Amino acid sequence: MIVAGCDLGSAAGKVVILKDKKVISSAVVKSTTSPEKTALKALEIAMSAIGMKDLAELDNIVSTGYGRSKLSFVKKNVTEIACHARGAFELNPTIRTLIDVGGQDCKIISITNKGRVAEFNMNDRCAAGTGKFLESMARTLNCSLEEFSDLALSHTEILKISSQCSVFAESEVITLINDGMKPENIAAGLVDSIARRLIAMINRVGLELPVGFSGGGAKSESLVKFLEKKLNTEIVRFDCSPQLVGAIGAAHFATELIEI
């Protein structure tokens, strides 16, 4: 049985292909203005890597993410909350709290011992604490996301960034630069502000260990380390890109739907 999960986010499209519940291929592509084109592009890359050419060779496809309902070739879609919980559970069944920082939202999901959603909290009304916020702040400091993360880790002081809004935060950062503050301490202040926002969301859901971290934001080692310090626990690292967690969950739902 070969199935696929498609996670169509605002910043990236992710595809995972499973054979008998094992990952055999995956792809991550930049999102286009068309979720269908994004999904087909990611599917083409993932399928060609294992010698597949036609969607008909897949026994089932499930979609998730913002663009999940826009795919004409998919009969079933599942919410990203459920797919991220399922994906994290399949990767590590012990995880009980999942932090997800995507391109335009961040969410905290409490997961049951069956891989289902017990509770969640989601910020999808502004860019604060999201991947877009990180990108915008890295651009303001004239560096890449990777350089931004390394910069934050090299801090000697964590400056206080009070603005949660990305527009006001950018203005605050420019003021700090003009005041001669060190870029690494500004970067640390920004990462710290995101971590504090995520901790507040975790407190609303209730922390239960162990904790996993998915989405593009999990690729920021500085954010991971700041969260670990505030939570006083080590965050579980997945054996795959953290961006694939939702697509893995969607693919497992695709398998489950065939088995019913």
Side-chain angles (χ1 to χ4, degrees):
M1 182 190 304
I2 302 179
V3 302
C6 300
D7 181 3
L8 287 312
S10 62
K14 292 80 70 178
V15 160
V16 166
I17 297 177
L18 300 185
K19 181 177 182 181
D20 299 330
K21 301 183 181 180
K22 302 292 183 186
V23 176
I24 57 171
S25 190
S26 64
V28 179
V29 301
K30 190 175 180 180
S31 289
T32 69
T33 54
S34 164
E36 177 137 333
K37 287 181 180 177
T38 301
L40 288 172
K41 185 178 180 182
L43 278 164
E44 181 184 0
I45 293 171
M47 290 172 65
S48 65
I50 51 175
M52 297 177 73
K53 296 180 179 178
D54 197 314
L55 290 180
E57 296 176 70
L58 295 167
D59 295 304
N60 196 14
I61 306 172
V62 163
S63 61
T64 188
Y66 281 96
R68 66 181 182 271
S69 63
K70 307 296 183 184
L71 308 186
S72 62
F73 55 89
V74 172
K75 295 178 181 176
K76 178 73 176 179
N77 67 74
V78 178
T79 70
E80 59 263 43
I81 301 289
C83 284
H84 276 81
R86 180 65 181 272
F89 179 80
E90 295 292 343
L91 289 165
N92 187 326
T94 69
I95 288 176
R96 292 294 171 268
T97 302
L98 180 70
I99 302 166
D100 179 75
V101 175
Q104 70 176 31
D105 69 34
C106 48
K107 37 193 174 285
I108 306 299
I109 307 170
S110 177
I111 304 172
T112 71
N113 60 6
K114 302 291 185 184
R116 304 301 183 190
V117 178
E119 184 64 79
F120 73 94
N121 187 265
M122 185 172 181
N123 163 41
D124 61 353
R125 298 188 183 280
C126 72
T130 69
K132 290 291 184 187
F133 181 84
L134 280 169
E135 284 181 8
S136 174
M137 295 305 109
R139 195 163 48 244
T140 304
L141 289 174
N142 196 30
C143 59
S144 67
L145 278 172
E146 292 74 18
E147 291 168 338
F148 178 80
S149 180
D150 291 342
L151 202 59
L153 288 173
S154 66
H155 71 271
T156 55
E157 177 187 0
I158 300 175
L159 295 177
K160 180 78 172 178
I161 306 292
S162 55
S163 300
Q164 292 289 331
C165 170
S166 58
V167 175
F168 292 124
E170 183 175 2
S171 175
E172 194 172 345
V173 167
I174 291 171
T175 299
L176 290 169
I177 293 171
N178 290 334
D179 286 344
M181 297 296 116
K182 292 180 179 178
E184 57 267 35
N185 295 339
I186 299 173
L190 289 163
V191 174
D192 187 67
S193 74
I194 298 171
R196 282 189 280 112
R197 187 179 181 87
L198 291 169
I199 294 297
M201 292 174 67
I202 289 172
N203 289 338
R204 285 195 281 275
V205 170
L207 175 64
E208 191 174 350
L209 303 178
V211 179
F213 194 179
S214 65
K219 295 167 72 175
S220 169
E221 192 59 24
S222 60
L223 182 55
V224 173
K225 288 188 179 301
F226 274 56
L227 283 167
E228 287 182 329
K229 187 172 183 179
K230 290 183 184 298
L231 292 169
N232 194 30
T233 188
E234 188 173 341
I235 290 176
V236 174
R237 268 71 165 177
F238 295 117
D239 292 331
C240 65
S241 167
Q243 286 182 285
L244 295 175
V245 174
I248 288 173
H252 277 280
F253 277 120
T255 299
E256 189 175 285
L257 287 167
I258 293 175
E259 292 175 339
I260 292 174

